[in-house]
């Protein structure tokens, strides 16, 4: 019997994580079904995902009613609701976590996006989230802003596993790896078991194409248009080269020999935005050992249905990927300007989603109050 495409992808070394979570999905067994039938071994969340989940259906009604009755603030209500979902999902994935010795079976929860430029606030909330969820397979998501780098080191140093999010540039990715290694060094010096600390670095893919393609269209030449849809994959392929180089240094080797784990690259934003680009592109072109691909369900189903899994599609690509990025630069498109803008926009978009989440919960709490009063 032929293996499914997602099974082949897993066999090629890619951990498939779902970029979605909702209480309805948990309650109805949808998460367990994707584990069994689509080789899903982890979940990531963000404010946008929770805002969408809370806006639909009735799965949160009972908890919202209890929270309304207790009179908690909206931010405390959001904290309770989101950590409950992550705790339950972590329990569902616990067997996978145990079987893979902590590499998979992971569920991520993000610090408030408004703290993206507040290192101390990020550190404090990361510790609070980890304690509240109370599961070893939880990952705390911290954005890769300059301030986030400081927080990553401090949180890793306390033995908390981290998913670093919103990485767009190779330079910032190198800084993220350095922050991780520094945190491991501090944890080791403090006597913390560094073999229990895991991390992934979420490198965003489709957003790079969206912004660069817009600029290539503005250039308008045939040469520029021929480069559309190529930057996201090339940038991620070169990120994998950075990963390989960074964990082959004497510094990294020393930590690994002491029991540390590599910080695996994670491909995020893998849903294709351009209808002219194959919907499985950010999966099939980014296959290599020890990577994570976190997919929206639409991309997951497309991969299962018609993804062409050809084995490692990264390791032999570095020269071609550099040629693509050099050709884009030759068209006058500034890589640094693009990646700086994408980080800024990424934080802003999550803040907008966070505010939508607060508004949704505020409305739900208000709607729940009259029935409680009536009782």
């Amino acid at each position: 019997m032929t293996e499914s495409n997602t099974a082949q992808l897993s066999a090629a070394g890619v951990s498939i994580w779902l970029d979605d979570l909702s209480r309805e999905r948990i309650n109805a067994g949808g998460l367990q079904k994707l584990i069994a039938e689509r080789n899903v071994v982890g979940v990531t969340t963000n404010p946008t995902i929770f805002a969408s989940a809370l806006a639909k259906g009735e799965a949160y009604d009972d908890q919202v009613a209890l929270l309304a009755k207790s009179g908690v603030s909206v931010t405390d209500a959001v904290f309770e609701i989101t950590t409950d979902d992550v705790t339950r999902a972590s329990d569902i994935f616990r067997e996978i976590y145990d079987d893979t010795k902590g590499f998979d079976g992971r569920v991520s929860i993000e610090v408030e996006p408004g703290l993206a430029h507040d290192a101390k606030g990020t550190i404090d909330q990361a510790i609070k989230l980890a304690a509240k969820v109370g599961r070893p397979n939880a990952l705390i998501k911290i954005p890769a802003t300059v301030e986030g780098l400081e927080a990553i080191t401090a949180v890793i140093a306390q033995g908390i596993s981290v998913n670093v999010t919103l990485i767009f540039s190779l330079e910032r990715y190198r800084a993220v790896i350095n922050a991780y290694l520094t945190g491991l060094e501090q944890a080791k010096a403090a006597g913390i078991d560094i073999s229990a600390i895991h991390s992934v670095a979420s490198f965003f893919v489709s957003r790079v194409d969206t912004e660069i393609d817009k600029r290539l269209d503005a250039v308008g030449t045939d040469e520029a248009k021929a480069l559309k849809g190529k930057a996201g994959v090339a940038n991620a392929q070169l990120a994998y080269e950075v990963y390989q180089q960074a964990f082959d240094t004497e510094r990294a080797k020393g930590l690994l020999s002491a029991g540390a784990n590599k910080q695996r690259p994670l491909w995020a934003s893998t849903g294709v935005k351009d209808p002219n680009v194959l919907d499985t592109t950010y999966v099939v072109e980014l296959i290599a050992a020890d990577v994570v691909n976190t997919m929206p369900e639409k991309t997951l189903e497309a991969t299962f249905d018609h993804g062409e899994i050809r084995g490692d599609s990264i390791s032999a690509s570095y020269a071609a990927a550099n040629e693509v990025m050099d050709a884009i630069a030759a068209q006058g498109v500034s890589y640094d300007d693009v990646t700086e803008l994408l980080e800024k926009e990424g934080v802003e978009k999550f803040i907008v989603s966070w505010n939508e989440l607060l508004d949704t919960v505020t409305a739900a709490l208000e709607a729940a109050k009259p029935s409680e009063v009536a009782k």
Side-chain angles (χ1 to χ4, degrees):
M1 185 175 177
T2 305
E3 276 192 320
S4 70
N5 293 329
T6 52
Q8 291 179 51
L9 185 63
S10 297
V14 178
S15 295
I16 301 171
W17 293 5
L18 179 70
D19 193 26
D20 190 38
L21 183 65
S22 69
R23 191 158 301 178
E24 182 178 0
R25 189 186 289 278
I26 293 170
N27 291 346
L31 201 53
Q32 294 89 329
K33 187 175 182 181
L34 291 176
I35 292 169
E37 299 179 3
R38 299 292 186 267
N39 305 92
V40 169
V41 292
V43 160
T44 52
T45 69
N46 60 46
T48 304
I49 287 169
F50 280 125
S52 175
L54 274 149
K56 301 171 186 173
E58 302 173 348
Y60 296 93
D61 289 0
D62 289 346
Q63 185 177 19
V64 168
L66 288 172
L67 290 167
K69 187 176 181 180
S70 66
V72 300
S73 68
V74 63
T75 53
D76 285 345
V78 168
F79 183 81
E80 293 296 326
I81 290 166
T82 57
T83 54
D84 275 6
D85 278 1
V86 169
T87 300
R88 290 183 62 192
S90 296
D91 289 342
I92 291 169
F93 281 101
R94 181 58 187 266
E95 183 177 351
I96 294 172
Y97 167 83
D98 290 337
D99 288 346
T100 61
K101 296 180 170 56
F103 283 90
D104 286 315
R106 293 287 182 172
V107 184
S108 297
I109 185 169
E110 191 159 349
V111 296
E112 291 179 26
L115 298 171
H117 300 293
D118 177 355
K120 184 181 184 303
T122 296
I123 294 164
D124 290 345
Q125 191 174 70
I127 293 169
K128 185 180 177 184
L129 283 167
K132 176 64 175 178
V133 174
R135 300 294 188 271
N137 51 332
L139 287 173
I140 308 304
K141 288 180 81 172
I142 297 175
T145 57
V146 171
E147 298 83 358
L149 297 173
E150 178 185 341
I152 291 157
T153 293
V155 173
I156 291 289
Q158 296 207 29
I160 297 170
S161 295
V162 172
N163 176 343
V164 183
T165 189
L166 287 178
I167 308 172
F168 297 97
S169 76
L170 300 178
E171 180 183 7
R172 183 58 55 83
Y173 182 34
R174 292 186 184 96
V176 165
I177 296 172
N178 177 65
Y180 173 62
L181 295 175
T182 302
L184 288 176
E185 289 163 346
Q186 293 179 9
K188 183 172 179 285
I192 293 171
D193 177 11
I194 60 174
S195 70
I197 303 171
H198 287 257
S199 182
V200 292
S202 297
F203 210 88
F204 280 53
V205 186
S206 68
R207 294 189 195 183
V208 173
D209 268 341
T210 299
E211 183 59 32
I212 287 181
D213 286 358
K214 182 171 69 176
R215 297 181 186 214
L216 291 170
D217 273 334
V219 173
T221 64
D222 289 343
E223 293 86 353
K225 290 180 180 179
L227 291 165
K228 287 180 61 180
K230 296 182 177 180
V233 166
N235 195 40
Q237 288 171 333
L238 293 174
Y240 190 78
E241 183 182 31
V242 169
Y243 158 74
Q244 288 182 310
Q245 292 169 345
F247 286 96
D248 195 39
T249 61
E250 291 306 311
R251 179 191 185 193
K253 286 178 179 177
L255 286 164
L256 295 174
S257 66
N261 301 291
K262 294 179 181 179
Q263 182 188 55
R264 291 188 295 163
L266 180 152
W267 311 133
S269 183
T270 57
V272 170
K273 310 292 194 296
D274 185 345
N276 296 312
V277 175
L278 183 67
D279 55 3
T280 59
T281 295
Y282 303 136
V283 177
V284 300
E285 300 298 336
L286 295 174
I287 300 173
D290 299 326
V291 302
V292 179
N293 194 311
T294 178
M295 311 177 198
E297 189 169 12
K298 184 177 178 182
T299 303
L300 174 64
E301 291 301 327
T303 301
F304 181 82
D305 180 67
H306 55 265
E308 187 181 345
I309 311 304
R310 305 184 304 273
D312 187 336
S313 55
I314 295 180
S315 299
S317 69
Y318 304 142
N322 274 307
E323 288 177 5
V324 167
M325 300 311 288
D326 288 345
I328 289 169
Q331 294 297 318
V333 176
S334 168
Y335 177 80
D336 290 342
D337 185 59
V338 166
T339 55
E340 287 172 15
L341 175 67
L342 289 173
E343 179 184 301
K344 179 173 178 288
E345 287 183 346
V347 172
E348 289 172 352
K349 286 176 181 176
F350 277 158
I351 289 174
V352 168
S353 295
W354 181 258
N355 290 333
E356 289 174 357
L357 177 57
L358 292 177
D359 290 344
T360 299
V361 174
T362 298
L365 290 171
E366 287 299 318
K369 280 180 181 177
S371 60
E372 293 297 332
V373 171
K375 289 180 181 178

